[in-house]
PDB file of all heavy atoms in Angstrom:
ATOM      1  N   VAL A 604     -74.459  42.340  -6.059  1.00  0.00           N
ATOM      2  CA  VAL A 604     -74.915  41.338  -5.087  1.00  0.00           C
ATOM      3  C   VAL A 604     -76.145  40.516  -5.672  1.00  0.00           C
ATOM      4  O   VAL A 604     -76.274  39.393  -5.453  1.00  0.00           O
ATOM      5  CB  VAL A 604     -75.223  42.069  -3.718  1.00  0.00           C
ATOM      6  CG1 VAL A 604     -76.105  41.203  -2.809  1.00  0.00           C
ATOM      7  CG2 VAL A 604     -73.990  42.501  -3.063  1.00  0.00           C
ATOM      8  N   ALA A 605     -76.991  41.268  -6.329  1.00  0.00           N
ATOM      9  CA  ALA A 605     -78.221  40.607  -6.935  1.00  0.00           C
ATOM     10  C   ALA A 605     -77.733  39.515  -7.859  1.00  0.00           C
ATOM     11  O   ALA A 605     -78.361  38.443  -7.893  1.00  0.00           O
ATOM     12  CB  ALA A 605     -79.049  41.620  -7.699  1.00  0.00           C
ATOM     13  N   PHE A 606     -76.700  39.797  -8.674  1.00  0.00           N
ATOM     14  CA  PHE A 606     -76.269  38.763  -9.629  1.00  0.00           C
ATOM     15  C   PHE A 606     -75.779  37.515  -8.818  1.00  0.00           C
ATOM     16  O   PHE A 606     -76.154  36.432  -9.167  1.00  0.00           O
ATOM     17  CB  PHE A 606     -75.103  39.245 -10.465  1.00  0.00           C
ATOM     18  CG  PHE A 606     -74.406  38.174 -11.255  1.00  0.00           C
ATOM     19  CD1 PHE A 606     -74.949  37.561 -12.278  1.00  0.00           C
ATOM     20  CD2 PHE A 606     -73.115  37.758 -10.726  1.00  0.00           C
ATOM     21  CE1 PHE A 606     -74.310  36.485 -12.933  1.00  0.00           C
ATOM     22  CE2 PHE A 606     -72.510  36.654 -11.362  1.00  0.00           C
ATOM     23  CZ  PHE A 606     -73.082  36.027 -12.417  1.00  0.00           C
ATOM     24  N   GLU A 607     -74.964  37.731  -7.822  1.00  0.00           N
ATOM     25  CA  GLU A 607     -74.328  36.667  -7.118  1.00  0.00           C
ATOM     26  C   GLU A 607     -75.395  35.828  -6.341  1.00  0.00           C
ATOM     27  O   GLU A 607     -75.369  34.651  -6.301  1.00  0.00           O
ATOM     28  CB  GLU A 607     -73.249  37.157  -6.175  1.00  0.00           C
ATOM     29  CG  GLU A 607     -72.219  36.233  -5.755  1.00  0.00           C
ATOM     30  CD  GLU A 607     -71.545  35.437  -6.971  1.00  0.00           C
ATOM     31  OE1 GLU A 607     -71.099  36.139  -7.855  1.00  0.00           O
ATOM     32  OE2 GLU A 607     -71.585  34.227  -6.941  1.00  0.00           O
ATOM     33  N   LEU A 608     -76.438  36.523  -5.825  1.00  0.00           N
ATOM     34  CA  LEU A 608     -77.473  35.845  -5.059  1.00  0.00           C
ATOM     35  C   LEU A 608     -78.407  35.044  -6.038  1.00  0.00           C
ATOM     36  O   LEU A 608     -78.806  33.979  -5.812  1.00  0.00           O
ATOM     37  CB  LEU A 608     -78.281  36.837  -4.243  1.00  0.00           C
ATOM     38  CG  LEU A 608     -77.541  37.384  -3.053  1.00  0.00           C
ATOM     39  CD1 LEU A 608     -78.421  38.409  -2.260  1.00  0.00           C
ATOM     40  CD2 LEU A 608     -77.121  36.287  -2.040  1.00  0.00           C
ATOM     41  N   ALA A 609     -78.652  35.673  -7.200  1.00  0.00           N
ATOM     42  CA  ALA A 609     -79.488  35.038  -8.165  1.00  0.00           C
ATOM     43  C   ALA A 609     -78.715  33.694  -8.699  1.00  0.00           C
ATOM     44  O   ALA A 609     -79.337  32.650  -8.868  1.00  0.00           O
ATOM     45  CB  ALA A 609     -79.733  35.903  -9.428  1.00  0.00           C
ATOM     46  N   ARG A 610     -77.407  33.875  -8.855  1.00  0.00           N
ATOM     47  CA  ARG A 610     -76.579  32.704  -9.274  1.00  0.00           C
ATOM     48  C   ARG A 610     -76.670  31.556  -8.186  1.00  0.00           C
ATOM     49  O   ARG A 610     -76.858  30.405  -8.536  1.00  0.00           O
ATOM     50  CB  ARG A 610     -75.189  33.166  -9.433  1.00  0.00           C
ATOM     51  CG  ARG A 610     -74.285  32.170 -10.166  1.00  0.00           C
ATOM     52  CD  ARG A 610     -73.099  32.868 -10.754  1.00  0.00           C
ATOM     53  NE  ARG A 610     -71.993  33.044  -9.741  1.00  0.00           N
ATOM     54  CZ  ARG A 610     -70.975  32.298  -9.578  1.00  0.00           C
ATOM     55  NH1 ARG A 610     -70.849  31.194 -10.238  1.00  0.00           N
ATOM     56  NH2 ARG A 610     -70.051  32.624  -8.665  1.00  0.00           N
ATOM     57  N   ALA A 611     -76.598  31.975  -6.928  1.00  0.00           N
ATOM     58  CA  ALA A 611     -76.655  31.002  -5.863  1.00  0.00           C
ATOM     59  C   ALA A 611     -78.027  30.370  -5.736  1.00  0.00           C
ATOM     60  O   ALA A 611     -78.162  29.160  -5.448  1.00  0.00           O
ATOM     61  CB  ALA A 611     -76.264  31.703  -4.529  1.00  0.00           C
ATOM     62  N   MET A 612     -79.093  31.175  -6.034  1.00  0.00           N
ATOM     63  CA  MET A 612     -80.431  30.663  -5.922  1.00  0.00           C
ATOM     64  C   MET A 612     -80.616  29.626  -7.051  1.00  0.00           C
ATOM     65  O   MET A 612     -81.219  28.571  -6.882  1.00  0.00           O
ATOM     66  CB  MET A 612     -81.430  31.793  -6.192  1.00  0.00           C
ATOM     67  CG  MET A 612     -81.639  32.656  -4.940  1.00  0.00           C
ATOM     68  SD  MET A 612     -82.690  31.910  -3.695  1.00  0.00           S
ATOM     69  CE  MET A 612     -84.332  31.890  -4.426  1.00  0.00           C
TER      70      MET A 612
END
Side-chain angles (χ1 to χ4, degrees):
V604 164
F606 166 75
E607 205 49 55
L608 290 177
R610 193 159 81 94
M612 284 286 287

